[in-house]
């Protein structure tokens, strides 16, 4: 299988997106799949949409794209809802809102399935290691993989902004000493992390590559301060600027 890259949750962060695509191009990877949430939160949703349209072979719709198209159904709250109007205004002024209507909610390439958030929850469910009460979700996730990963072997998701693998043996976190994982015949839930708003304590953008027998996580430093400055100039919620430096 041809190597490909999977990105997710760009969230209008043009500096992060450009840095990630530069690395992907340097790796000689042609096929790039976006799992959704190209827009939302960040200051450059229109530019990110246009760049992803040019560079990605598939663009999935995330919950933020859904919120732009159907604000009355939006489940967003807090800073996300405050940023939604600014996102809509920018996309509408450049005639980009109708483009979102054609974005699919899932895509499959051979044994590889791609969705925005989870197989169970579409654009809204979360793949997490703990539930709201703090209890481990491992038994439920492992059971779901065993019973439902039929017709596909690896499923890529975004939405939670945190990179990790969910397997039938446990949750596995990439780190500097180990960023690549042998796929073989294993069944994996691959949480690819976020390009534009990481939340795992690492401010660097994150994406994954697949080469036929290996899933690799890649971290990319970018000029987050430039993005934060744009957020402040636009009058978007301060937390959206602050979190970029912390990766939280």
């Amino acid at each position: 299988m041809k190597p490909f890259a999977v990105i997710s949750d760009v969230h209008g962060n043009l500096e992060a997106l450009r840095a990630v695509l530069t690395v992907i191009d340097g790796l000689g990877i042609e096929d790039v799949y976006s799992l959704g949430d190209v827009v939302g939160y960040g200051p450059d949703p229109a530019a990110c949409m246009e760049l992803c349209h040019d560079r990605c072979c598939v663009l999935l719709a995330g919950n933020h794209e859904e919120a732009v198209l159907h604000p009355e159904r939006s489940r967003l709250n807090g800073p996300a809802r405050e940023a939604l109007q600014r996102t809509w205004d920018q996309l509408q002024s450049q005639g980009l809102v109708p483009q979102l209507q054609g974005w699919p909610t899932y895509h499959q390439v051979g044994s590889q399935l791609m969705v925005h958030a989870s197989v169970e929850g579409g654009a809204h469910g979360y793949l997490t290691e703990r539930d709201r009460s703090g209890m481990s979700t491992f038994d439920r996730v492992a059971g779901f993989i065993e019973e439902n990963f039929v017709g596909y072997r690896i499923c890529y998701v975004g939405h939670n902004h945190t990179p990790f693998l969910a397997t039938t043996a446990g949750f596995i976190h990439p780190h500097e000493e180990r960023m690549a994982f042998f796929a073989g015949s294993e069944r994996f839930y691959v949480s690819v992390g976020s390009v534009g708003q990481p939340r795992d304590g690492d401010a660097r953008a994150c994406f994954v590559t697949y080469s036929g027998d290996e899933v690799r996580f890649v971290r990319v430093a970018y000029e987050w301060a430039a993005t934060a400055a744009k957020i402040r100039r636009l009058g978007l919620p301060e937390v959206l600027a602050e979190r970029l430096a912390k990766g939280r």
Side-chain angles (χ1 to χ4, degrees):
M1 176 180 285
K2 237 172 97 174
F4 60 79
V6 185
I7 66 174
S8 191
D9 298 274
V10 172
H11 283 302
N13 188 333
L14 185 60
E15 286 72 29
L17 177 60
R18 283 174 171 166
V20 161
L21 292 177
T22 295
V23 171
I24 291 172
D25 289 341
L27 294 171
I29 294 176
E30 297 178 0
D31 293 340
V32 182
Y33 298 89
S34 169
L35 302 185
D37 281 4
V38 171
V39 305
Y41 294 128
D44 293 304
C48 288
M49 262 189 72
E50 291 178 326
L51 184 53
C52 283
H53 184 268
D54 290 342
R55 188 63 184 84
C56 298
C57 55
V58 170
L59 290 163
L60 298 187
N63 58 302
H64 282 256
E65 282 82 28
E66 180 182 284
V68 170
L69 289 173
H70 305 288
E72 73 284 357
R73 301 182 203 165
S74 171
R75 302 182 190 181
L76 302 179
N77 52 44
R81 181 167 283 281
E82 289 185 53
L84 177 62
Q85 185 63 51
R86 178 79 67 172
T87 296
W88 194 92
D89 289 344
Q90 190 178 132
L91 298 184
Q92 179 70 7
S93 69
Q94 298 191 37
L96 295 175
V97 172
Q99 285 189 21
L100 298 176
Q101 295 174 349
W103 291 13
T105 56
Y106 71 93
H107 182 75
Q108 187 164 351
V109 183
S111 63
Q112 321 282 307
L113 179 66
M114 301 171 192
V115 298
H116 175 62
S118 74
V119 179
E120 299 168 277
H124 296 281
Y126 280 92
L127 175 63
T128 61
E129 297 172 85
R130 297 191 178 278
D131 61 21
R132 291 183 178 179
S133 64
M135 299 297 290
S136 173
T137 61
F138 170 68
D139 288 342
R140 183 185 66 79
V141 172
F144 184 86
I145 293 172
E146 286 277 14
E147 295 174 14
N148 295 284
F149 275 39
V150 178
Y152 59 93
R153 187 170 56 80
I154 298 177
C155 179
Y156 302 87
V157 298
H159 192 50
N160 60 34
H161 297 221
T162 305
F164 66 92
L165 289 178
T167 77
T168 55
F171 296 116
I172 304 172
H173 292 269
H175 51 84
E176 293 302 328
E177 288 74 33
R178 189 181 182 194
M179 299 293 279
F181 301 88
F182 180 67
S185 60
E186 297 294 325
R187 286 176 286 180
F188 288 158
Y189 236 142
V190 183
S191 179
V192 306
S194 171
V195 169
Q197 198 188 85
R199 295 180 188 171
D200 63 326
D202 188 332
R204 295 176 297 172
C206 189
F207 70 97
V208 304
T209 63
Y210 179 74
S211 63
D213 59 3
E214 180 184 87
V215 173
R216 179 178 291 273
F217 291 84
V218 184
R219 302 304 295 239
V220 181
Y222 74 97
E223 293 295 328
W224 58 263
T227 307
K230 290 180 182 178
I231 288 171
R232 293 186 173 106
R233 283 198 298 271
L234 288 172
L236 293 169
E238 175 63 20
V239 66
L240 300 180
E242 292 177 347
R243 73 188 316 166
L244 296 180
K246 304 172 184 176
R248 291 290 184 194

